[in-house]
Amino acid sequence: MSTALDRWLIRRFTVETHIFTLSDPGPLPCKVKRIELGNRPGTQYRYQFVTKDERKADEIISFLRENQHSFNTQLKKRTNLLAKVVNPAGRSFTYSMISRFFVLCLLIGVLYIGYLAVFEHAFDEEIDAIVEFFTGGPSSFKSDPEPVEKLKF
């Protein structure tokens, strides 16, 4: 299940638009890569324009439509690391980040409670009460051990 944020992330970071045309449209917006395909056998088009920005692709397509150019568009997935992180296979990026955040908070909470119990002796009374409840008598747990006398030689 993908959220609106997931769909936006996929459109923004994992898809690039390839526009194929027969004639050169002239000046292009910045960040649009122009590839001249030439007159190779088996190719229908002579020019290919690649952009990662959806708005720039829309500008080029509207210009080609206004000037009645023949063109074809294809959306291709990128294979870089960011695309793999943003669009994990079969999972939602948003839900996976929420679950990772939740697990991280639990881990930090457990570590903090362990720190308080071991170094700050914050739970000595609670531990005594638990031991007394289960054993039926006063506990022999002491947070501060009695000092041992040093042997004199």
Side-chain angles (χ1 to χ4, degrees), residues 10 18 21 25 31 40 46 50 59 97 99 103 113 119-120 123 129 134 140-141 148:
I10 289 169
H18 293 251
T21 183
K31 294 188 179 181
R40 292 183 283 182
R46 295 186 65 198
V50 180
E59 286 178 28
M97 285 295 117
S99 64
V103 168
I113 289 173
F119 296 108
E120 299 292 328
F123 301 107
F134 283 112
S140 60
F141 173 77
V148 178

Side-chain angles (χ1 to χ4, degrees), residues 17-30:
T17 306
H18 293 251
I19 303 169
F20 298 92
T21 183
L22 289 170
S23 58
D24 188 9
L28 296 171
C30 62

Side-chain angles (χ1 to χ4, degrees), residues 3-127:
T3 62
L5 177 63
D6 290 332
R7 290 187 294 274
W8 178 81
L9 287 170
I10 289 169
R11 273 196 326 269
R12 180 75 174 108
F13 295 109
T14 66
V15 176
E16 61 187 13
T17 306
H18 293 251
I19 303 169
F20 298 92
T21 183
L22 289 170
S23 58
D24 188 9
L28 296 171
C30 62
K31 294 188 179 181
V32 175
K33 189 167 131 183
R34 178 192 318 248
I35 302 169
E36 189 167 341
L37 300 175
N39 290 329
R40 292 183 283 182
T43 58
Q44 269 185 306
Y45 300 102
R46 295 186 65 198
Y47 296 96
Q48 177 183 1
F49 305 105
V50 180
T51 181
K52 297 173 185 171
D53 191 4
E54 195 175 336
R55 291 187 199 121
K56 295 193 187 317
D58 290 339
E59 286 178 28
I60 295 171
I61 290 169
S62 64
F63 177 79
L64 291 172
R65 281 189 182 142
E66 287 172 6
N67 295 321
Q68 298 177 351
H69 288 271
S70 176
F71 68 94
N72 184 17
T73 60
Q74 293 179 355
L75 296 177
K76 295 188 178 180
K77 285 191 174 184
R78 289 190 258 171
T79 57
N80 58 3
L81 180 63
L82 182 61
K84 291 177 184 175
V85 169
V86 168
N87 190 15
R91 294 182 302 181
S92 169
F93 175 75
T94 305
Y95 291 135
S96 64
M97 285 295 117
I98 289 171
S99 64
R100 288 177 187 162
F101 179 74
F102 181 70
V103 168
L104 181 67
C105 289
L106 283 175
L107 181 66
I108 289 173
V110 167
L111 290 175
Y112 182 69
I113 289 173
Y115 167 78
L116 290 178
V118 172
F119 296 108
E120 299 292 328
H121 305 293
F123 301 107
D124 290 346
E125 293 82 20
E126 288 84 0
I127 292 173

